[in-house]
Structure formats: C-alpha cells, structure tokens
Amino acid sequence: METPFSWSSSGRSILKLNIRHLWLYGVWPLGSFPLFELYVIFVFALGVWNFVEASVSVSFSWRDLEATTLVLTNTFTLFSGTVKLAFFTRDRRLYNSLVRRVDSLMLVQSEPCSRDPVLEKIVQRSRRQAARLTLGMLLFMASQGLIWFPMPLIAHPGERRLPFAQHLWDNNTAFYKLSYTLQCVTSLWMAEISFGLDCLFASIMILVAAQLEVLALRITKLKAADGGADGGRRSLSTFSIAHEKMYSDLCLCIESHQQILRFVRHLNDTMSPIAMTQFVFSVLVACVALFQATYGSDITGVIRCISFLPIPGGQVYLYCWAAHQVTEQAAAVSSAAYSCSWVDASEDFKRVLRILISRVQKPLILTAGHLYPINREAFLSLVNASYTYYALLGQMNKRPTN
C-alpha cells in the first residue's frame, strides 16, 4: 500500500488529476528521481524566502496596521502551504497508502454497482464531481494572480511598487525586477500547493460519501430478496433459500461497511494535521483580508482583498462540506437498515441487522488535529472566530496613536 506511485501508475488512479497537479508543483514524487528532491528543496526555499521577506517587511511597518495586514494576508496563505508541504514530505508513504486505499475502496462495491445502473450512476457522479471541484478550485486560485500580480504596475506606474511585501528598507530600489518576479512565482506556487492538498482531501471525502450512499441503497434494496408477499405459496425450501440469500447479502453489506469505516479512520489520521493547519490560517487570513477590505485607504488593496476573501472561506468550506457529506451518508445507513424488509426476515438476519444499527448509531465524524470536528457547524464557528478577530483589529485601528 505504501509503494510510491510512478507516472504510469498515477494515471490508473481515480485521483490522477490531484496527484499529477501536486507532482507538477514539487510535492508528490512520481518515481525515484534524485532531481525531484532538489525540486522539493527549491519549493521549500521559496516558502522560507517569502516568510523571511514578509517578516522583515512587517518589522519596518509594524506601527502601520494597514500596511502590516496587507502583507500578512499573503504571508499567512503562503506559510500555510509551506507547513502543509512539510507535513506531506514527512509522511509521503502515508499519502501513497491513502490513495491506494481509495482505489481499493472503489472496488469494494464494484460488483453490485455493475449490476445496478442506479448505484453505478452514484459512483460515476462522485468521480465527475471530485474532478470538476479540483479543476474549478485550482483555476479559481490561479485566477487571483490576474488581479494581484499586475495591480502595482497598473495602479502605481513608475513607483516601483511590489505586489505583496514592500522593501521599505531600500524603497524597492535593489533588485526590483527580481523581487517582483519572485513574489509572483512564490505566491502562485505555494497557493497552488495549499489548494491542491485541500482538493485532494475534499475529493477523497466525496468518493467516500458516494460509497456510503451506495451501501445505504444496497441495504434498502434487501427487501427485493425477501419472498414475504408470496412466501405462503412457495415451498419451504424456496422460502428458506430466499431468506438465506437475504442474510448473505446483508453480511456482504456489513463487510463493505467495515472496510469503509477502516478507510475513514486512516483518512482522519492522514488529513487531521493538514485540516488543522488550514483552519488556523484561514481564520487569520480572513480576519486580515476583511480588515483591509473595510479600513484600507488604498483602493487597489481593497479590490485585491475583496477578490481574495472567498479563498480562505472556500478552503474551510471544502473540508466542512465534504466531511459533513460523509457524516450524513453514514447516518443514512441507519435509516436504510430500518427501511429494508426485516419484519419477515429470519432471526439470523434480524440479529445481524441489530448489530449493524447499533454500530451506525455512533456518528462518523472527521476531525482537525483529532480535536475539532469537521462539519457545517465548524464552518460557522470559524467564520465567527474570524469576525471576532477582525472586530478586535478594528478597535485597535480606532485607538488614537501617541
């Protein structure tokens, strides 16, 4: 399961788009190439350089809250990508295992899906949804460069302004073109890495939710195996065979359910630190971006922050929406158990069904940092936290300076 992917093997994975996107930006190695490790070091260097440059810039503009928050809007976003890259590099084998388990999970219910067009449609829909979500979010993130990168040249021609952190120690006079290029490249690179990992986990959760939905429908349709309506007119042998088939199908459903639960535990262990990192930085980014959009005196900075505000919110919502789907579909398995034709089923069937119902009573919840539940309520609480910090910054900005 932990065997690294090659370019050809990644093409056979259901998460091909996610893997190859992360490979392109120096995160996911495909094959054993020593030069790729140098590429990873280069990407880390970009992230560290951005953090150092921003820290120096903030030290010069510390008393100017507007200038400081404008720098931090970009810095928090890119530092989040750097931290995520560090987590991924530390646990590469865990990520290889995760994706291979996803591919295996999609085969668990392939046989019943191949016999039922409704179930097959659910699986195909989830695959399309995951791919479209990934492509759409990554393109949306890249489109921010069209707003942020050329803005200083358009709004302040001849003033030698930089897109993000200004070099106040020399008024942007030294290596201006190089600094401008590095800021643009670093911003695009680290933001794509951050979003790429978010889309990877969101895609996996979409696929898991679909597998739970398929499982719930399989359990509901167990009534089709029951001969309750005409059981009296059947021979005892035929009636017994029908109930044995129903019991056997339920056992297969429970086996599929157990495999899905094992995978979700593995997913939670892998995703937890990345999700926690994103939650923390999204709250900070939304706070400073909202402050800039409200109190900024530079109209170009206001426009940039307004266009950027959906980014941190979207990253958090990706996790909360997708994880909530998993929780809802897991709860639907319990409803499906009540909906099947259990009244006239055999005692063995009823006994096993009770065990299944008892198991699914425990909510299937993914967490950030193994502490914070990921669901729609978490999204609202994080939005409230961002607004609270924004209000605090607003109060600090209104205080008279001595």
Side-chain angles (χ1 to χ4, degrees):
M1 281 294 179
E2 295 181 354
T3 304
F5 281 90
S6 63
W7 178 265
S8 58
S9 62
S10 69
R12 295 188 293 270
S13 173
I14 194 172
L15 296 168
K16 174 179 68 175
L17 177 60
N18 304 87
I19 295 173
R20 291 184 173 179
H21 170 265
L22 292 171
W23 167 82
L24 178 64
Y25 284 92
V27 180
W28 202 308
L30 297 178
S32 55
F33 298 102
L35 288 179
F36 191 87
E37 299 303 327
L38 295 178
Y39 186 23
V40 175
I41 294 173
F42 168 74
V43 175
F44 264 120
L46 287 178
V48 172
W49 177 86
N50 174 267
F51 179 76
V52 172
E53 180 190 40
S55 299
V56 176
S57 178
V58 166
S59 69
F60 276 82
S61 63
W62 185 249
R63 293 183 178 275
D64 187 346
L65 196 56
E66 180 181 338
T68 299
T69 52
L70 186 59
V71 174
L72 292 179
T73 301
N74 175 68
T75 304
F76 286 150
T77 302
L78 304 195
F79 192 62
S80 169
T82 306
V83 174
K84 290 178 181 179
L85 177 60
F87 278 124
F88 183 96
T89 304
R90 185 193 66 180
D91 299 321
R92 280 179 183 171
R93 292 194 299 177
L94 198 61
Y95 283 86
N96 285 314
S97 173
L98 178 67
V99 174
R100 292 191 183 278
R101 287 172 184 263
V102 173
D103 294 333
S104 299
L105 185 68
M106 299 303 291
L107 299 176
V108 168
Q109 303 185 95
S110 59
E111 184 178 347
C113 288
S114 64
R115 298 195 305 263
D116 191 329
V118 176
L119 301 183
E120 181 64 23
K121 186 177 180 180
I122 292 173
V123 175
Q124 294 302 324
R125 182 193 66 202
S126 68
R127 297 180 68 162
R128 289 193 299 269
Q129 186 179 21
R132 290 171 181 171
L133 176 72
T134 298
L135 187 60
M137 295 302 289
L138 293 177
L139 289 176
F140 176 68
M141 184 67 244
S143 69
Q144 291 294 307
L146 301 176
I147 300 174
W148 282 77
F149 297 165
M151 188 66 76
L153 302 177
I154 297 172
H156 307 282
E159 295 185 17
R160 301 176 69 88
R161 299 270 294 180
L162 292 170
F164 302 107
Q166 307 302 317
H167 296 177
L168 301 178
W169 54 91
D170 63 0
N171 294 320
N172 302 330
T173 54
F175 304 105
Y176 172 72
K177 293 181 180 179
L178 177 62
S179 298
Y180 201 109
T181 302
L182 278 175
Q183 285 193 8
C184 293
V185 170
T186 304
S187 298
L188 175 63
W189 225 268
M190 302 313 299
E192 286 288 315
I193 289 173
S194 180
F195 242 84
L197 288 169
D198 296 337
C199 290
L200 171 70
F201 288 121
S203 298
I204 293 174
M205 286 186 282
I206 289 172
L207 296 173
V208 172
Q211 289 297 309
L212 287 166
E213 185 178 356
V214 167
L215 177 63
L217 282 176
R218 285 176 62 195
I219 295 174
T220 301
K221 291 184 178 184
L222 287 175
K223 64 180 68 172
D226 192 1
D230 59 348
R233 296 191 296 271
R234 292 184 179 186
S235 67
L236 181 60
S237 176
T238 304
F239 190 74
S240 177
I241 291 173
H243 278 263
E244 285 295 328
K245 178 68 166 60
M246 193 176 180
Y247 173 75
S248 176
D249 289 343
L250 176 60
C251 290
L252 291 175
C253 290
I254 291 176
E255 184 179 343
S256 299
H257 186 237
Q258 290 174 338
Q259 292 186 55
I260 293 172
L261 293 181
R262 284 195 293 268
F263 174 80
V264 171
R265 286 195 292 270
H266 183 71
L267 170 63
N268 191 56
D269 291 339
T270 307
M271 183 182 72
S272 190
I274 298 288
M276 194 65 179
T277 299
Q278 187 55 57
F279 282 13
V280 170
F281 281 101
S282 284
V283 169
L284 297 175
V285 172
C287 166
V288 293
L290 187 60
F291 176 85
Q292 273 291 320
T294 306
Y295 296 100
S297 57
D298 183 359
I299 189 61
T300 63
V302 172
I303 293 173
R304 284 182 287 176
C305 288
I306 290 176
S307 69
F308 190 75
L309 269 173
I311 298 295
Q315 288 178 283
V316 170
Y317 187 75
L318 267 182
Y319 284 99
C320 294
W321 167 75
H324 196 86
Q325 290 292 104
V326 173
T327 303
E328 281 192 336
Q329 293 301 331
V333 174
S334 177
S335 301
Y338 284 106
S339 301
C340 72
S341 185
W342 58 269
V343 176
D344 298 319
S346 65
E347 288 302 318
D348 287 340
F349 182 93
K350 292 177 181 177
R351 175 177 52 81
V352 174
L353 190 66
R354 285 196 297 269
I355 295 173
L356 174 63
I357 292 175
S358 299
R359 174 61 187 87
V360 297
Q361 293 304 310
K362 181 180 179 180
L364 188 60
I365 299 176
L366 292 160
T367 61
H370 294 290
L371 297 171
Y372 201 79
I374 307 176
N375 48 36
R376 291 176 185 171
E377 289 74 19
F379 175 74
L380 295 177
S381 67
L382 290 170
V383 170
N384 288 334
S386 294
Y387 184 80
T388 300
Y389 295 135
Y390 154 76
L392 178 62
L393 283 178
Q395 292 298 321
M396 292 174 60
N397 188 56
K398 290 177 182 178
R399 288 192 305 182
T401 56
N402 295 327

